Amino acid sequence: MADVARLAGVSSQTVSRVSNGFPGVTEDTRRQVLDAMRELGYRPNSAARALRRGEFRTLGVITFTLSTMGNIRTLEAIAMSAAQHGYAVTLLPVAVPTQDEVNGAFSRLGELAVDAVIVIMEIHLLDAATVSLPPGVQVVVADSDAGDRYTVVDTDQAGGARDAVRYLLDLGHDTVWHLAGPEGSFAAQRRANAWRATLTESGRTPPPLVRGDWSADSGYRAGLRLADEPDCTAVFAANDQMALGLLRALHERGRRVPEDISVIGFDDIPESASFLPPLTTIHQDFAEVGRLCVEGVLSKMRQDGTQHGTTLVPTRLVRRGSTGPRVG
């Protein structure tokens, strides 16, 4: 820092203010200091800065799976939002979702020097007595049924599912079949419960639920079964990947979409507009979920009074060519 100060013709304090992004330095002086840093190859010592400030400018992210599109896109949004606030992200996948593994993950993140933690917990854990988050750690949870014990950010799973079912009923379909996600998933349960409730409220008897595992392969296997159901004219798939497999199975069995069977998905992945036919789906705003997770945990760090409870990010219906009025 002293070398940079001599080359730029300023004090070491001015170099410190520039390297830490503090105000009170003219633009010409800032440019002189930055030019001197580049010429000398100077880089601020982040460890020393962390000790001085008492923070590491890093957020830890714990996730239990990276195999689902929702978790991947949430993680991407968290990383982008953190970077906009000047924070890096340290990712720690946890293979086995148990209390010991959760505690171990927090311990490892502590060793890696993070300021706070975001947990992407798409499976049922925080509502179970066997798993809880360590006290004294600033935490925000994404995509979970954690209730009022934690600060939670999630998509409005139930609202999106209701919109999907109501749209198909409004198109004249007598009922709507549901290709659900895995049984242990919070999001899958929320969507399935809303599907069933919406049909019941409309005076329809829900058909038997068909279970998948989020993959296109499971959607394909379910589609082979649904293609043989004579009363099936509309299907709500709990995610777009399963809808993709479903579309293939219906095509192979000679069932036209949407003339014979309408199909609607959930997520609005970038590829869904390129399915054949283009997929009607429920759009999730993953960028907003990530932004709210980061802003929530930063607010907790600043002790701005962030309350426990759940913030729901609205969904919206995206109409494309895979849905249409019931024919006949």
Side-chain angles (χ1 to χ4, degrees):
M1 187 177 290
D3 293 338
V4 172
R6 278 193 295 271
L7 181 60
V10 298
S11 68
S12 294
Q13 183 181 17
T14 299
V15 175
S16 176
R17 297 188 71 83
V18 172
S19 66
N20 286 290
F22 293 154
V25 180
T26 67
E27 190 56 37
D28 286 343
T29 300
R30 187 180 304 277
R31 190 177 299 111
Q32 285 176 241
V33 172
L34 293 175
D35 288 344
M37 287 180 176
R38 281 191 291 269
E39 184 174 337
L40 295 174
Y42 170 81
R43 293 179 182 274
N45 187 314
S46 58
R49 217 169 6 176
L51 289 172
R52 185 168 61 253
R53 291 180 172 180
E55 63 177 23
F56 301 97
R57 306 294 292 182
T58 301
L59 302 179
V61 178
I62 296 174
T63 181
F64 294 94
T65 176
L66 287 174
S67 62
T68 65
M69 181 61 65
N71 283 2
I72 292 172
R73 293 184 66 186
T74 300
L75 175 60
E76 177 186 32
I78 289 170
M80 294 294 292
S81 181
Q84 291 172 358
H85 287 277
Y87 281 76
V89 167
T90 296
L91 174 65
L92 189 62
V94 175
V96 183
T98 64
Q99 182 66 69
D100 286 344
E101 288 292 322
V102 171
N103 288 339
F106 274 88
S107 296
R108 291 193 293 278
L109 282 176
E111 295 167 2
L112 294 170
V114 301
D115 299 304
V117 178
I118 297 170
V119 183
I120 304 175
M121 193 172 285
E122 193 265 335
I123 54 180
H124 286 290
L125 281 179
L126 292 186
D127 55 348
T130 56
V131 175
S132 60
L133 301 182
V137 180
Q138 300 297 354
V139 176
V140 168
V141 184
D143 197 8
S144 173
D145 198 11
D148 293 333
R149 290 185 296 157
Y150 304 100
T151 300
V152 179
V153 179
D154 192 21
T155 298
D156 186 1
Q157 312 285 350
R162 284 193 298 268
D163 288 344
V165 175
R166 287 171 181 161
Y167 178 62
L168 291 169
L169 294 178
D170 288 345
L171 288 172
H173 297 278
D174 291 336
T175 192
V176 178
W177 291 67
H178 183 43
L179 173 51
E183 199 165 1
S185 164
F186 160 73
Q189 179 185 324
R190 278 283 195 267
R191 296 170 198 179
N193 288 349
W195 159 77
R196 187 177 291 108
T198 304
L199 288 178
T200 301
E201 291 164 4
S202 301
R204 323 295 171 94
T205 300
L209 181 144
V210 180
R211 184 74 66 180
D213 62 10
W214 296 134
S215 70
D217 284 345
S218 71
Y220 175 76
R221 292 190 297 270
L224 294 177
R225 170 186 165 185
L226 291 171
D228 293 333
E229 294 285 349
D231 296 330
C232 178
T233 66
V235 180
F236 163 42
N239 78 336
D240 290 351
Q241 281 94 345
M242 291 194 298
L244 175 60
L246 172 65
L247 290 174
R248 177 192 164 197
L250 295 176
H251 173 74
E252 290 183 0
R253 289 296 179 89
R255 302 296 299 274
R256 300 169 302 164
V257 177
E259 293 83 358
D260 299 325
I261 299 181
S262 287
V263 175
I264 186 169
F266 203 109
D267 282 343
D268 193 23
I269 63 175
E271 298 82 6
S272 61
S274 298
F275 289 3
L276 190 62
L279 184 66
T280 298
T281 186
I282 300 297
H283 177 82
Q284 293 198 79
D285 193 345
F286 294 105
E288 181 67 1
V289 171
R291 185 186 71 81
L292 289 174
C293 283
V294 171
E295 292 191 354
V297 82
L298 294 181
S299 178
K300 291 169 78 72
M301 288 165 54
R302 294 190 298 263
Q303 298 182 338
D304 286 348
T306 301
Q307 299 297 315
H308 292 170
T310 300
T311 298
L312 293 181
V313 176
T315 59
R316 61 181 172 86
L317 175 69
V318 180
R319 298 173 177 84
R320 298 193 181 105
S322 67
T323 49
R326 181 184 177 186
V327 177

